[in-house]
Amino acid sequence: MCSATFSQTTIIRDNTIEKMVKEVSPDSLKYYITSLVAMGTRNTLSTQKDSKRGIGAARRWILNKFTQFAASSNGRLTGFIDTTTLFPDKKRIDTTIVLGNVVATLKGTDPADDRIFIISGHLDNMRTNVMDRTGDAPGANDDGSGSAAVLECARVMSKHPFPATIIFVTVSGEEQGLLGAYYMADKARKENLNIEAVLNNDIMGSNNSSGTNIIANNKVRVFSEGIPFYELDKNAKMIRQLGLENDGKSRQLARYVKETGERYVDNIDVVMVYRNDRFLRGGDHTPYVENGYAAVRITEMNENYYHQHQDVRKENGIQYGDLIDFVDFEYLRKNTAVNLSVLASLASAPSKPQDLKIDVTRLSNSSDLYWKAPKSGKVKGYYILVRETTSPVWQKKIFTSQTSATLPYSKDNYFFAVQSVNDNNNEGLPELPGIGKN
Ligand SMILES: [Zn+2]
């Protein structure tokens, strides 16, 4: 058994990522949302033929933006509209339509790296009646804000090379039952794509809540499931035995979003919510979660229900409707920058350490961990992460350049994970040890 030399490390920002974060512009975000709102409605059932109005015009406009960004990507960014035909389902689809997700892929530069990171927003929107496809529905915040974040990340990031692949997507059919995200996630599972993280951005640009006087633009929520939905029957026994009910892939991703977002973006607290989603509402991360991928929902801290899923109107002095006047573009800038810092860090970092094991075959007050180098990426070393079993976040980060460690912490009292780190201090997703010996 070899014992590593440890040092507590001060975590510093990667200059390149810091510069990218600074490029995120409230003016760009405003321009995207203004352009989307100008299409009148983006209901999934709305016209696809009109050049200026409806879901067809909206998805062509987004594709056109991706194509513009592609020009300065050195041939790495390619966009297309991924379509599928949907038939009446007696629910929220009452006529045969061609559903289209607008997808832009920023191809990774390392052929050995098959990891994919996804940022998603939804292009479609709704009025009070989800089947109303003709009346105006601005959808500035739901989900013009998430769509704008996707576009802005694509604009800034596509100029830079990353070893892993990033997919920027605005889906359709969210309000009709997460249809675009199910189409994409089911296809990914069939093709066995190595999607390591999905950031679903939905309703992220308004700073105030209905029914209270709360106004806050310095907090954003990240929702993640607790006990993993996927293959729970196979894993329940192990989760129970090891106490891993708070350590699924999506929860790990939420911790990563909090740590990395707060490292790169000033004046924002990322608040983890230990739930897959809010009450009475759904989101596009769920189809990925159901297919076994790590996926979280990023959403504003306070929601205003006068402005969501409401026909634009005034009643008893209250303005209803999802109007652009209610978007706080400085707040949206910070929330977009949180996404960018996470995507850029993950796609730059080496992949996870392989075959990570913790030895539990003897009684001892120290803990032995073993692992192998990651499949892709050059490592400077590894951070061993340590936290008490009741702590929501990792409490210690111990650097080692070796691939095993004996920690002076009891395996009974702490959780451990290991993440790969490169020369620019980009950290990969933490991996939890399985039970085993060297
Ligand atoms: Zn939404």
Side-chain angles (χ1 to χ4, degrees), residues 9-13 259 263-264 383 397 419 425 427:
T9 309
T10 313
I11 309 299
I12 47 168
R13 290 175 176 173
E259 185 181 335
R263 183 186 305 168
Y264 282 99
Y383 287 121
K397 265 176 125 83
Q419 60 184 170
N425 300 304
E427 297 156 23

Side-chain angles (χ1 to χ4, degrees), residues 122 142-143 174-175 202-203 297 309:
H122 70 85
D142 184 12
D143 186 27
E174 197 272 351
E175 306 290 8
D202 195 353
I203 311 182
R297 177 194 186 108
H309 303 183

Side-chain angles (χ1 to χ4, degrees), residues 166-230:
I166 303 170
I167 295 178
F168 308 89
V169 59
T170 61
V171 300
S172 299
E174 197 272 351
E175 306 290 8
Q176 304 326 101
L178 315 179
L179 303 175
Y182 270 112
Y183 169 61
M184 206 161 155
D186 291 345
K187 193 161 75 163
R189 178 43 70 208
K190 270 187 211 110
E191 292 172 6
N192 223 4
L193 297 184
N194 185 19
I195 299 169
E196 284 213 341
V198 179
L199 307 178
N200 171 36
N201 288 273
D202 195 353
I203 311 182
M204 59 185 297
S206 165
N207 62 22
N208 63 85
S209 62
S210 48
T212 72
N213 293 320
I214 298 170
I215 299 176
N217 74 349
N218 57 357
K219 283 184 177 169
V220 64
R221 290 177 293 175
V222 55
F223 284 82
S224 61
E225 69 173 5
I227 293 179
F229 176 93
Y230 185 72

Side-chain angles (χ1 to χ4, degrees), residues 228-239:
F229 176 93
Y230 185 72
E231 296 189 334
L232 178 59
D233 45 347
K234 273 193 206 162
N235 296 312
K237 194 175 159 197
M238 182 263 302
I239 291 169

